[in-house]
Amino acid sequence: GNSVTQMEGPVTLSEEAFLTINCTYTATGYPSLFWYVQYPGEGLQLLLKATKADDKGSNKGFEATYRKETTSFHLEKGSVQVSDSAVYFCALSDPGFGNEKLTFGTGTRLTIIP
Amino acid sequence: GAVVSQHPSRVICKSGTSVKIECRSLDFQATTMFWYRQFPKQSLMLMATSNEGSKATYEQGVEKDKFLINHASLTLSTLTVTSAHPEDSSFYICSARGVGLAGGNNYEQYFGPGTRLTVT
């Protein structure tokens, strides 16, 4: 079946540091890939997505590239801010219709210190 | 737009009682709602998918008689944990997908803030 493995946290960085959160996946078909973010006390929000190989998703300074050859979708940001502190989830959708039936990674808690 | 709420945010109940959790789409019509369960330091596990006006589809290993899901309207789905036991303690999260969303994005799932259930 489908699965998502992401970097275990927690991750603590200083403001303006470079961020990488690793995510690899296993899927039988050609999934769409997502990064969701959960800020304290709030629901999950879609941060970015990519629907096919070599696509790059980007939002709010975050980027991730769909790498089919390495089955990876690592999240990166060049200079993190305190407001980026949150839990980040990598996810994939079953091949086919929309993004129904998401499979999530375990989440990585990120804390940015001033 | 695309706000999903859950109520209650936290609930503590005694073993053997039933608890109902509500999931509402506040500014769009949710044709499909999803219920997830999250254990500490683990990923979200899909429990069931419900379409408005029809029976929910449960994932393998989820007891449908224990976790009753009702999606009676386009803005409300409920999850009832029946005869709750301590092992049912968890964080329950709903998401909704629907129509009437800005930009015509009808396939993205919008998540609620979750409900923390503790069974004593």
Side-chain angles (χ1 to χ4, degrees), chain A residues 36 38 41-46 49 89 97-107, chain B residues 32 34 36 38 41-44 46 49 59 91 93 97 105 107-109 111-113:
Chain A
Y36 284 85
Q38 185 175 31
E42 299 183 18
L44 275 72
Q45 301 173 24
L46 178 64
K49 65 180 180 183
F89 293 90
F97 186 65
N99 66 344
E100 190 161 342
K101 299 186 81 168
L102 290 165
T103 300
F104 286 89
T106 54
Chain B
T32 305
F34 304 84
Y36 296 86
Q38 185 180 27
K41 299 186 179 182
Q42 294 189 29
S43 61
L44 283 73
L46 180 65
T49 303
E59 295 299 300
F91 194 57
I93 302 173
R97 188 183 75 194
N105 189 351
Y107 300 121
E108 182 176 333
Q109 290 186 35
F111 287 81

Side-chain angles (χ1 to χ4, degrees), chain A residues 1 3 24 26 54 57 62 66 78 92 96 102 110:
Chain A
S3 67
T24 57
T26 302
D54 299 326
F62 291 89
Y66 189 144
L92 66 80
L102 290 165
L110 174 67

Side-chain angles (χ1 to χ4, degrees), chain A residues 23-102:
Chain A
C23 172
T24 57
Y25 67 90
T26 302
T28 53
Y30 300 95
S32 293
L33 302 173
F34 307 85
W35 277 100
Y36 284 85
V37 58
Q38 185 175 31
Y39 298 104
E42 299 183 18
L44 275 72
Q45 301 173 24
L46 178 64
L47 179 60
L48 53 85
K49 65 180 180 183
T51 57
K52 62 182 188 297
D54 299 326
D55 268 2
K56 178 186 284 188
S58 61
N59 186 25
K60 299 182 180 180
F62 291 89
E63 292 183 340
T65 302
Y66 189 144
R67 301 287 188 199
K68 187 170 182 294
E69 63 276 15
T70 55
T71 62
S72 66
F73 193 55
H74 304 321
L75 182 68
E76 297 182 336
K77 186 173 184 180
S79 177
V80 292
Q81 305 300 313
V82 172
S83 57
D84 294 326
S85 298
V87 180
Y88 292 81
F89 293 90
C90 185
L92 66 80
S93 67
D94 274 355
F97 186 65
N99 66 344
E100 190 161 342
K101 299 186 81 168
L102 290 165

Side-chain angles (χ1 to χ4, degrees), chain B residues 72-94:
Chain B
S73 79
L74 284 171
T75 59
L76 174 64
S77 176
T78 60
L79 167 67
T80 302
V81 182
T82 62
S83 187
H85 291 283
E87 57 265 30
D88 299 324
S89 298
S90 193
F91 194 57
Y92 293 88
I93 302 173
C94 74

